[in-house]
Every structure is written in C-alpha cells, then in structure tokens.
C-alpha cells in the first residue's frame, strides 16, 4: 500500500509501505474511503513537536472493513465504518464512564493517511452504518471521527446549555465544529473568535451569532463588552496555545466553564488565579466513541453538515500539498481521496 510519511519539518512524502495485517484477534483491516490532514498534524510539520525517525501520519478515517480478527463480532467485511482517533475496547471502567479516549487498552491511530489501515480494538472502536452512505456524506462522517467529535466534546466539557452564551476560541476545523455543537446543544448566543473572512462566513453558517476579530487583551475586553461586563457561560478553547487558554479563562464568567480540546503547547494555568475565578476547567482528548452513534445519526439525518470544513480535496498522493495548504492557511482542512 501507499501512505504519508513525515521525515522532518515540512517534509511529508507519499511512499510505499507494508500492507497492514491482523496482529491481534481484536484488530480489523480497513480500506479507507477518505482520510484527511488534521490541524494537530501541523505541530510536528512545523517543527513544534519532535518527529524522531520517519513515520506514517494520520488519525482520521472512514472506510470499508476488509478483514477482522477472530474476536471481532460487531463489524464484518464489506461494512462501511467510522472510528475514533483513540481506539477503545468500550468495556473497561473508563469506557463505561464515558471516557473511551482514556481506555485502559487505548491506542492512538497514527497511520490513516494511507489507502489501508489496521484498527486495534476494532470491536469497541468501530461503528458501522446500516447501509453504505452516499459519497456526498463521507466528508461529514469523516469529520465525526475527530473534529466534529472533538468540537462536541468542547461544548460538552464547557457545559453548554439551552439559552446560554458560548464563546468559541479558534476558527480551525475543530472550532468551527464546536460552533455546530454549541448550536445543537441550544446555546442562544455563539460568539466565534476569528480573523479570517472565509472562516467567519462558515462560522455564521454553522450558527455563530457574533464574530470577534480581536485577540489577547483586546479580545478579552471585547467579549466582556458583548456580555455586559460579566463574561460567557461557556468557553470552548479549540487551539492549544497559551494565548488561547488565557483568552478562554478570562472570557468565562464567574461560575462559567471552559472546555479545552486544543492539544496544549506551552500552556500553564495559574492555580491561584483559577481558584479565585470560580471558572470550571475540563478537557483532554475527546471521547469521540461516546458520541459516535448520535453524531452519525445527525449526519445521516441531515441535521448537521460538518464536512463543509473540508475546503480542499486532493488525491492521496498529493498529501504533501494538503499539509502545505493548511500550514499557509490557504485551506481549513484537506480531504484526501485514495
């Protein structure tokens, strides 16, 4: 098979790789229908995370089951399936508590920008659709495997409730999906922080009622101005930088909540400041598997269309261009077709 391999910062190549095989009776082999480049892939691409030896990339996937291990009974060859970037048995104590991304047998997917992948813990990770969805739905179902599920977790962790005011920090794919999630959870006012016209338009389409272009202290002041000097009920932090976390914590009202889902880089939280703010803080890798059945239904029913975050479609062999376009902010998210 062939797939993406990162060798060094800004050096992603499309190479021939060993075909995946069943290694454990809980594995499945999937032929990818579509995959993509994630914003979090840009951290190593930009040299902000160590790369080490050359290795495959990608953690978002939907596709067709080709082979299953002896212990996999919930999916079968030929079915169309959606999974999570964090695999889970869906039976351990952490899974039963709804945190499948902290499964005791968790493995993170890392080889999905390829035409075939091995999925560990397939029994608990993969969700099959009743029928093969039309190709027009594949981008939205792919979004569910990570960015939509992560945006949903941001809203859930931030305790968005009907009639509330929510602020979304970040206008990447996760942030835009977080706007969808806040709308679906009933937020009356959704303030999206964005400086990019195309992303602002999509945020509005997804349900944002206000756009704030300012950042830093000016951004905090603008949110306070929009909320009568109090702050927002819920803040969804979808970036992972120190500035984004500071904006999130300082734009939540006393008693409000921050859901942080951006992978933290150089983020430090002042315990004394947090203590006296009365702001709740929860985050981490999204328990996507918890939300998969519901989000898949919302896509298939036409209630949500998160696939619109894919504004660039490329053949898989042009994956390097997908990275470059996202790095240069010429694309929100690149869809890859084998």
């Amino acid at each position: 098979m062939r797939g993406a391999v990162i060798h060094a910062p800004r050096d992603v190549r499309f190479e021939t790789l060993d075909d995946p095989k069943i290694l454990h009776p809980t594995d499945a082999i999937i032929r990818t229908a579509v995959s993509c480049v994630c914003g979090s892939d840009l951290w190593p691409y930009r040299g902000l995370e160590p790369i080490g030896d050359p290795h495959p990339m990608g953690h978002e996937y939907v596709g067709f089951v080709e082979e299953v291990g002896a212990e996999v009974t919930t999916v079968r060859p030929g079915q169309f399936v959606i999974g999570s970037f964090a695999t889970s048995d869906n039976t351990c104590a952490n899974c039963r508590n709804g945190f499948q991304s902290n499964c005791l047998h968790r493995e993170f997917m890392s080889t999905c920008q390829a035409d075939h992948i091995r999925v560990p813990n397939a029994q608990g990770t993969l969700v099959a659709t009743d029928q093969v969805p039309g190709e027009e739905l594949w981008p939205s179902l792919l979004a569910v495997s990570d960015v939509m599920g992560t945006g949903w977790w941001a809203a859930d962790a931030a305790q968005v409730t009907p009639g509330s005011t929510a602020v979304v920090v970040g206008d990447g794919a996760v942030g835009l999906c977080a706007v969808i999630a806040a709308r679906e959870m009933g937020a009356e006012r959704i303030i999206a922080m964005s400086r990019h016209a195309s992303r602002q338009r999509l945020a509005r389409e997804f349900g944002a009622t206000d756009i704030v272009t300012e950042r830093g202290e000016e951004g905090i002041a603008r949110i306070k101005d929009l909320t009568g000097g109090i702050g927002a009920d819920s803040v969804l932090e979808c970036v992972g930088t120190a500035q984004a976390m500071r904006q999130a914590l300082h734009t939540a009202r006393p008693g409000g909540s921050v859901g942080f889902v951006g992978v933290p880089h150089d983020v430090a939280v002042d315990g004394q400041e947090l203590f006296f703010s009365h702001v709740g803080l929860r985050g981490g890798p999204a328990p996507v598997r918890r939300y998969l059945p519901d989000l898949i239904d919302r896509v298939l029913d036409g209630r949500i269309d998160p696939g619109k975050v894919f504004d660039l479609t490329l053949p898989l062999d042009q994956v390097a261009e997908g990275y470059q376009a996202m790095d240069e902010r010429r694309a929100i998210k690149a869809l890859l077709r084998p």
Side-chain angles (χ1 to χ4, degrees), residues 81-236:
V81 293
I82 302 97
S84 166
F85 63 86
T87 74
S88 57
D89 59 26
N90 213 27
T91 61
C92 77
N94 291 343
C95 289
R96 293 196 306 272
N97 286 327
F99 286 87
Q100 291 92 334
S101 52
N102 225 314
C103 175
L104 296 175
H105 300 101
R106 174 186 67 189
E107 294 185 42
F108 286 112
M109 296 297 294
S110 60
T111 63
C112 298
Q113 290 162 8
D115 49 36
H116 287 79
I117 59 174
R118 180 181 71 90
V119 180
N121 298 311
Q123 178 88 353
T125 300
L126 299 175
V127 177
T129 56
D130 292 335
Q131 300 175 342
V132 176
E135 289 193 28
E136 72 279 3
L137 295 174
W138 291 3
S140 283
L141 293 171
L142 177 62
V144 165
S145 78
D146 183 0
V147 291
M148 186 64 241
T150 297
W152 198 272
W153 165 232
D156 193 2
Q159 299 184 328
V160 175
T161 56
S164 63
T165 295
V167 170
V168 177
V169 180
D171 63 358
V174 171
L176 292 167
C177 287
V179 172
I180 295 176
R183 181 199 67 200
E184 291 293 295
M185 292 185 187
E188 181 176 320
R189 192 175 193 185
I190 303 170
I191 304 169
M193 303 190 79
S194 172
R195 288 181 166 179
H196 302 87
S198 62
R199 301 178 187 217
Q200 292 171 5
R201 286 193 294 271
L202 193 51
R204 291 276 193 188
E205 183 177 345
F206 283 167
T209 56
D210 302 85
I211 301 293
V212 167
T213 59
E214 295 87 349
R215 292 182 181 175
E217 296 303 318
E218 291 182 354
I220 293 168
R222 180 64 179 143
I223 297 295
K224 289 292 183 71
D225 181 59
L226 289 171
T227 56
I230 301 301
D233 302 305
S234 301
V235 184
L236 291 60

Side-chain angles (χ1 to χ4, degrees), residues 253-275:
R253 65 168 174 79
S257 296
V258 172
F260 70 105
V261 300
V263 179
H265 287 74
D266 299 319
V267 172
V269 176
D270 185 324
Q272 191 84 353
E273 185 177 275
L274 184 65
F275 180 79

